Amino acid sequence: MKRSKKSPRRVPAEEAASPDEVMAALSSLSPDQCLRLERYAQSRVGSLGRGSLSCDARALLCEAIRATCEGKRSWHKTSVDFFGHLIGVIRSKSSHLHRKSASNKTYLESDVIGESGSPVENSPSQAPNQEATLLANEAVERIERAVGERPIAWIVMEGLRDGWNRAEIIKEFQISGTEYDSNLRWLRRTVPKLREGKS
Amino acid sequence: MTDKPRDYEQELADILNALAESTLEMSDEEIELEIREEGLDPQIVAEHVREILKNTVKSCQQRLLIEAEQEYEKRISAMKGADYSLPESPKAQRDLITSILASNPQLVRGLLTAQSRDFNSLPDEDLPAFVIQLMSLIEARDIIEEEGAPEE
């Protein structure tokens, strides 16, 4: 899936959804959309590794809603549906957290949850250091070693890294949809463990 | 030509972000399967997600309401603290209200609630607060006319 270019965040007040409209939109989300939101938040938090301490998928989802209701990330209801809006906020909040937690400092809960009670906004900001680089180096090597033993999984991972979508990967590498799905499932289950040094 | 050193942190982030983004392309069935593989019931997970999101909206609404109430209380206190000289008798207070409204028809049209417009039904004990509110409104309007509306 190709992502659209960044659009300005500022939404005219009259076009921004009110908390009541947000509540109505929440009620109209389908169970499948709720599951997808949870999975997406889970994956985004999982990609943060140790930087995600004290910010789990639930915190990320709540933060996306809070930012929407408080007007920090208003929902421009005429240009994007509510589900798409939440996905965008989760993506942006987790990227923000990733940038702030790029090093390997051990966090205390009190470091992360500040006055606003938002673990996402209050995470400490740090510069990358050698230990973080070393850990990333080891993690990438573990992932490449394990994924390298499964050629189709390797193809899927590389395709996704290059920004290709499912259809493009299937077509380009002439694999079946089932092969793609089962290998993606394996990657999604295995890579986070490899990253943490588990197998 | 020298090889550019690998940026492992960026590579790791790219891999994990790519896998996270793949969530958006998965079929509903694949997502349900993944959740079941974790030993969870998709229906319960979906309800739980909706519930925590709704609770967050409710707490935001509550906070906004409390803030609005605090702001209202602050304004009322400021109004009460303002130094207005009011006539003492209820009749004189009603006359003053009539006179203020007669010379400021826009207050009747735009600013006052229907209940306030029917000020004749106000009990005597509410009259002083109503007069003060009217005076504060006029004062605020005069300031805006003089200095322009405050920026949001």
Side-chain angles (χ1 to χ4, degrees):
Chain A
M1 190 176 104
K2 298 275 186 276
R3 272 184 271 161
S4 59
K5 284 189 175 173
K6 254 187 171 178
S7 58
R9 287 185 186 175
R10 200 49 78 183
V11 177
E14 64 278 9
E15 289 175 34
S18 68
D20 285 344
E21 287 172 313
V22 170
M23 186 62 109
L26 271 179
S27 301
S28 67
L29 284 178
S30 70
D32 286 332
Q33 285 177 315
C34 290
L35 289 181
R36 200 176 293 270
L37 282 173
E38 189 273 343
R39 283 292 97 175
Y40 186 62
Q42 192 83 268
S43 302
R44 295 296 305 196
V45 166
S47 75
L48 298 170
R50 290 190 293 168
S52 71
L53 282 182
S54 90
C55 179
D56 57 10
R58 178 190 169 136
L60 193 52
L61 285 166
C62 290
E63 183 60 20
I65 287 287
R66 203 174 293 123
T68 302
C69 290
E70 291 175 353
K72 290 179 193 159
R73 290 298 306 269
S74 295
W75 170 32
H76 196 171
K77 54 187 189 286
T78 54
S79 65
V80 64
D81 67 16
F82 186 59
F83 175 77
H85 164 78
L86 284 182
I87 291 291
V89 181
I90 292 168
R91 181 183 292 125
S92 135
K93 291 276 173 190
S94 57
S95 297
H96 171 79
L97 192 56
H98 179 75
R99 284 194 297 274
K100 285 194 144 193
S101 59
S103 78
N104 66 334
K105 182 187 172 188
T106 301
Y107 297 107
L108 297 172
E109 195 173 8
S110 55
D111 286 335
V112 183
I113 300 180
E115 281 181 5
S116 76
S118 160
V120 178
E121 292 299 335
N122 294 308
S123 298
S125 174
Q126 292 156 41
N129 61 31
Q130 283 188 327
E131 196 185 343
T133 306
L134 182 64
L135 287 172
N137 182 343
E138 289 171 355
V140 169
E141 284 178 357
R142 273 195 303 273
I143 292 167
E144 287 183 343
R145 213 167 27 244
V147 179
E149 289 172 11
R150 297 175 63 120
I152 298 180
W154 181 270
I155 283 168
V156 172
M157 186 176 82
E158 290 300 298
L160 291 172
R161 274 171 76 176
D162 289 342
W164 291 11
N165 64 28
R166 182 180 186 273
E168 288 167 337
I169 293 170
I170 287 172
K171 187 178 171 203
E172 181 68 22
F173 297 102
Q174 297 184 340
I175 58 174
S176 70
T178 311
E179 284 175 316
Y180 175 92
D181 291 338
S182 62
N183 280 280
L184 177 61
R185 203 158 55 237
W186 180 82
L187 285 167
R188 288 172 57 86
R189 197 172 53 232
T190 312
V191 168
K193 290 181 194 164
L194 291 167
R195 184 243 177 100
E196 298 300 329
K198 303 168 195 164
S199 55
Chain B
M1 197 177 101
T2 53
D3 282 340
K4 200 178 162 194
R6 289 176 70 174
D7 182 346
Y8 288 102
E9 285 180 84
Q10 190 56 51
E11 285 186 31
L12 184 58
D14 288 346
I15 292 169
L16 295 165
N17 282 336
L19 290 176
E21 291 303 316
S22 71
T23 312
L24 303 178
E25 277 208 329
M26 289 164 72
S27 66
D28 294 340
E29 292 73 24
E30 281 290 321
I31 286 184
E32 282 194 20
L33 186 61
E34 189 174 286
I35 290 170
R36 284 211 176 85
E37 279 180 351
E38 291 175 15
L40 301 168
D41 180 337
Q43 198 182 337
I44 292 173
V45 172
E47 282 167 17
H48 182 62
V49 168
R50 196 193 302 278
E51 208 49 42
I52 58 173
L53 295 182
K54 280 187 168 180
N55 287 340
T56 307
V57 177
K58 280 180 197 163
S59 70
C60 284
Q61 284 173 317
Q62 203 137 18
R63 203 180 52 71
L64 292 171
L65 191 64
I66 289 169
E67 280 175 8
E69 278 174 356
Q70 284 170 343
E71 181 62 22
Y72 174 76
E73 292 298 332
K74 218 166 79 183
R75 280 169 190 258
I76 291 295
S77 304
M79 280 185 198
K80 284 180 179 163
D83 190 18
Y84 296 117
S85 57
L86 301 182
E88 283 188 9
S89 77
K91 183 185 176 309
Q93 287 168 358
R94 284 185 201 280
D95 289 346
L96 179 59
I97 292 170
T98 307
S99 143
I100 290 173
L101 294 180
S103 52
N104 296 279
Q106 72 278 24
L107 287 184
V108 185
R109 279 199 309 273
L111 297 175
L112 300 184
T113 62
Q115 188 190 19
S116 301
R117 277 181 220 139
D118 186 19
F119 72 93
N120 286 321
S121 63
L122 281 176
D124 287 351
E125 61 270 23
D126 289 348
L127 289 172
F130 188 52
V131 175
I132 290 172
Q133 280 186 42
L134 280 180
M135 288 176 156
S136 300
L137 279 173
I138 292 166
E139 201 171 271
R141 184 204 58 196
D142 291 346
I143 290 171
I144 288 170
E145 280 175 4
E146 229 169 81
E147 300 174 2
E151 280 179 28
E152 283 297 316

